[in-house]
């Protein structure tokens, strides 16, 4: 009731039954009702909701509700408090189920097998929760699959996922698929942030809602890059205000396109997978209220700067274990939100230390965690020969190496990187249009 964003965290962790006092159950139920209507929760709205339901006097009237706010200063440790409430609920359930088992044990007429089965089901309900809509019959899943199959058959040139903006890449991936965790990895200064922004803007420009998390770079710097790639005006000109009248027209046209897009930025530090989930769901509520659907794609720059979710009393022995937890939780978030999450990642120095011409990144080069490869549905690397040799004739030619694709082929897509505009182009659309190389190579 004191902080607007607090209930978003609470609603993810607590159920009404977790509270012991009946008054607290009713107050929480009133808050849930307000929250589900996309309303604002505060002292006045909660009191009004309790009055409408006829429960205000039972909880102690307006004074009974207001005194709850006097016992807490801030929501700084809210997740820990939620965990304590849940643990106390489980303790009570443990005692209750144990007492029922004890009584049944002394009852000579009770069926032993039935008693154990009842206790087991009650324990599962308490710890995991009752069977919900997430459990589907084979018939239901089959109908969903056939419906998608029929739609694709009617339009075979369409892609089942969100388009990347690069036809050759979409031919390999089929677009970014729902619930997938996609890892985009590269060494520093190769262009992974720029490529990630190209992908994000391509989705936003096609009327998709996109959420960008930038832990390393401010949202204003990201916006300058998007303005540059969309308008075609050099990034340095935009950053230093050195544009001419023609440039200004191009920038203004891009600004109009960007302003009406559903592109959202979050450049806060200390980001956890739980933060990603909560903030995405919060934006989804606002989008639904305005009739704009939900977030379709999330981009995170980058995974090694994230922090793991700490449960009550949990700590990690080293950074590898923490990054493993982060990647595992991000995959769960992608599945829970049912959208693709593209997470940028740093590579180790291994490619630089390899001798000869074999500098291409490998799955073993993923930095800080071996589980990154395991958790990701797609692993892509950005490779540039001109970063390893001065005499290469492939300056600004970028190879997008798809080294892991859980549900499709691997391969290589070659693009041209215009570093002055931080934009990527297919080879035939770049100034190297006559460059005699295959655009796509599939082993």
């Amino acid at each position: 009731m004191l902080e607007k964003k607090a209930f978003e965290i609470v609603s993810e962790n607590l159920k009404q039954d977790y509270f012991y006092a009946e008054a607290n159950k009713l107050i929480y139920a009133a808050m849930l009702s307000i929250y589900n209507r996309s309303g604002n929760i505060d002292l006045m709205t909660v009191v009004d909701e309790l009055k409408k339901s006829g429960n205000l006097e039972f909880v102690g009237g307006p004074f009974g509700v207001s005194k709850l706010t006097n016992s807490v200063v801030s929501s700084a440790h809210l997740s820990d408090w939620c965990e304590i409430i849940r643990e106390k609920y489980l303790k009570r359930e443990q005692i209750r189920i144990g007492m029922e088992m004890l009584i049944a044990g002394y009852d000579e007429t009770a069926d032993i097998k039935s008693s154990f089965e009842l206790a087991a089901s009650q324990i599962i309900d308490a710890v995991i929760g009752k069977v919900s809509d997430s459990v589907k019959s084979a018939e239901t899943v089959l109908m969903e699959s056939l419906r998608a199959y029929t739609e694709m058959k009617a339009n075979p040139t369409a892609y089942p996922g969100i388009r990347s903006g690069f036809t050759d890449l979409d031919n390999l991936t089929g677009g970014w698929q729902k619930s997938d965790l996609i890892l985009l990895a590269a060494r520093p200064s190769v262009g992974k942030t720029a490529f990630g922004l190209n992908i994000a803007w391509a989705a936003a420009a096609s009327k998709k809602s996109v959420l960008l998390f930038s832990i390393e770079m401010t949202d204003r710097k990201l916006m300058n890059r998007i303005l540059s790639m969309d308008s075609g005006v050099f990034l340095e000109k935009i950053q230093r205000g050195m544009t001419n009248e023609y440039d200004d027209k191009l920038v203004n046209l891009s600004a109009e396109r960007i302003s009406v897009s559903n592109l959202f930025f979050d450049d806060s530090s200390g980001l956890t997978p739980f933060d990603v989930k909560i903030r995405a769901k919060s934006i989804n509520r606002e989008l639904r209220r305005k009739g704009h659907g939900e977030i379709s794609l999330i981009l995170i720059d980058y995974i090694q700067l994230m922090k793991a979710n700490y449960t009550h009393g949990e700590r990690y022995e080293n950074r590898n274990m923490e990054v493993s937890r982060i990647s595992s939780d991000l995959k769960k978030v992608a599945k829970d939100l049912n959208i693709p999450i593209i997470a940028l990642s740093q590579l180790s120095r291994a490619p630089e230390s390899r001798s000869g011409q074999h500098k291409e990144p490998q799955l073993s080069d993923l930095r800080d965690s071996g589980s990154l490869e395991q958790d990701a549905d797609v692993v892509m690397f950005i490779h540039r020969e001109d970063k390893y040799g001065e005499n290469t004739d492939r300056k600004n030619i970028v190879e997008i190496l798809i080294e892991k694709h859980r549900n499709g082929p691997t391969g290589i897509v070659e693009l041209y990187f215009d570093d002055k505009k931080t934009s990527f182009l297919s080879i035939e659309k770049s100034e190297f249009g006559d460059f005699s190389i295959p655009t796509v190579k599939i082993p």
Side-chain angles (χ1 to χ4, degrees):
M1 286 183 280
L2 292 174
E3 295 186 20
K4 186 176 180 180
K5 298 292 183 181
F7 198 77
E8 293 172 5
I9 298 174
V10 172
S11 63
E12 289 291 318
N13 288 273
L14 296 183
K15 299 178 182 178
Q16 185 178 342
D17 290 340
Y18 288 3
F19 292 93
Y20 177 71
E22 192 64 32
N24 288 341
K25 287 183 180 181
L26 293 172
I27 292 171
Y28 187 68
M31 297 171 85
L32 272 175
S33 180
I34 297 167
Y35 182 74
N36 291 332
R37 291 199 308 267
S38 301
N40 293 318
I41 294 172
D42 57 32
L43 182 61
M44 296 302 296
T45 57
V46 172
V47 168
D48 185 60
E49 186 69 23
L50 287 165
K51 187 185 295 183
K52 289 177 181 176
S53 64
N55 294 316
L56 183 59
E57 294 307 314
F58 182 85
V59 303
F63 176 74
V65 179
S66 65
K67 72 178 183 180
L68 292 174
T69 62
N70 297 328
S71 60
V72 63
V73 178
S74 75
S75 62
H77 303 289
L78 192 55
S79 295
D80 288 336
W81 297 338
C82 288
E83 186 62 24
I84 290 170
I85 291 174
R86 182 175 179 273
E87 286 179 358
K88 296 297 183 184
Y89 162 75
L90 291 176
K91 282 284 187 184
R92 292 196 301 273
E93 286 298 283
Q94 184 180 26
I95 293 169
R96 181 185 65 79
I97 295 168
M99 289 299 296
E100 289 181 0
M101 285 289 289
L102 182 65
I103 293 170
Y106 283 105
D107 186 353
E108 294 292 338
T109 62
D111 180 70
I112 295 176
K113 185 179 178 182
S114 298
S115 297
F116 274 104
E117 286 177 352
L118 177 61
S121 66
Q122 289 179 326
I123 291 170
I124 291 171
D125 288 347
V127 178
I128 301 176
K130 292 183 171 67
V131 175
S132 66
D133 294 337
S134 62
V135 178
K136 301 177 183 178
S137 67
E139 182 183 13
T140 301
V141 178
L142 176 62
M143 292 305 294
E144 291 174 357
S145 297
L146 289 176
R147 190 179 302 115
Y149 165 75
T150 304
E151 290 173 359
M152 288 302 299
K153 194 171 179 61
N155 190 7
T157 59
Y159 295 95
I162 297 172
R163 299 195 64 161
S164 68
F166 306 102
T167 301
D168 295 330
L169 183 58
D170 292 333
N171 286 340
L172 278 177
T173 64
W176 313 123
Q177 307 296 316
K178 291 180 179 180
S179 79
D180 273 6
L181 175 61
I182 299 119
L183 214 60
L184 174 62
R187 290 291 296 146
S189 302
V190 170
K192 63 178 177 295
T193 298
F195 189 60
L197 285 178
N198 274 253
I199 290 171
W201 176 235
S206 64
K207 309 302 182 185
K208 303 293 184 183
S209 297
V210 180
L211 176 56
L212 298 177
F213 289 98
S214 177
I215 313 169
E216 183 179 37
M217 199 176 293
T218 64
D219 50 14
R220 215 168 101 190
K221 289 181 178 178
L222 293 180
M223 182 55 73
N224 285 341
R225 288 184 172 216
I226 294 173
L227 277 170
S228 176
M229 73 174 68
D230 185 71
S231 67
V233 178
F234 288 179
L235 176 61
E236 186 178 7
K237 283 186 174 185
I238 293 174
Q239 289 176 329
R240 299 179 64 180
M242 297 170 61
T243 53
N244 56 35
E245 187 176 346
Y246 180 68
D247 293 333
D248 290 340
K249 288 181 180 179
L250 294 175
V251 170
N252 288 332
L253 286 171
S254 287
E256 289 178 14
R257 285 191 290 270
I258 295 168
S259 66
V260 296
S261 68
N262 280 330
L263 189 59
F264 301 90
F265 296 82
D266 189 321
D267 62 359
S268 55
S269 58
L271 187 74
T272 70
F274 184 71
D275 293 331
V276 172
K277 180 179 176 180
I278 290 297
R279 290 170 197 179
K281 289 199 169 187
S282 176
I283 294 171
N284 282 343
R285 290 178 65 237
E286 289 301 312
L287 288 173
R288 286 195 299 268
R289 188 172 61 83
K290 296 175 181 178
H292 293 321
E294 296 185 345
I295 294 292
S296 300
L297 177 70
I298 289 176
L299 177 75
I300 300 171
D301 185 13
Y302 57 91
I303 197 169
Q304 280 84 8
L305 292 179
M306 294 184 71
K307 295 184 180 297
N309 298 321
Y310 285 90
T311 54
H312 195 54
E314 184 178 15
R315 290 295 179 269
Y316 300 100
E317 294 179 8
N318 54 55
R319 182 58 181 163
N320 282 357
M321 291 180 64
E322 187 171 13
V323 173
S324 295
R325 174 65 183 271
I326 292 168
S327 65
S328 174
D329 284 349
L330 278 180
K331 173 57 185 174
K332 292 175 184 175
V333 172
K335 190 173 181 182
D336 181 55
L337 296 175
N338 196 31
I339 61 172
I341 293 180
I342 301 175
L344 277 52
S345 175
Q346 289 278 26
L347 287 177
S348 69
R349 294 182 180 273
E352 298 171 7
S353 62
R354 282 195 280 271
S355 60
Q357 301 298 315
H358 303 291
K359 305 288 188 182
E360 294 88 350
Q362 302 172 5
L363 291 171
S364 58
D365 299 332
L366 289 169
R367 185 175 165 186
D368 286 335
S369 173
S371 70
L372 288 174
E373 172 192 349
Q374 174 184 324
D375 295 325
D377 298 279
V378 178
V379 179
M380 301 186 299
F381 296 119
I382 302 177
H383 176 60
R384 289 176 59 182
E385 287 184 10
D386 60 353
K387 287 294 180 179
Y388 299 104
E390 294 289 334
N391 299 321
T392 180
D393 60 352
R394 294 168 59 83
K395 185 170 176 57
N396 284 36
I397 300 298
V398 176
E399 292 182 335
I400 308 299
L401 313 174
I402 301 180
E403 291 296 310
K404 178 187 176 182
H405 191 189
R406 200 187 301 275
N407 299 305
T410 58
I412 303 172
V413 175
E414 291 182 318
L415 303 170
Y416 175 78
F417 178 45
D418 188 337
D419 51 357
K420 289 183 174 60
K421 303 171 186 175
T422 65
S423 62
F424 287 76
L425 301 167
S426 60
I427 297 294
E428 61 270 17
K429 291 181 181 178
S430 74
E431 59 187 277
F432 289 85
D434 58 348
F435 204 81
S436 58
I437 55 174
T439 311
V440 184
K441 296 182 288 187
I442 305 177

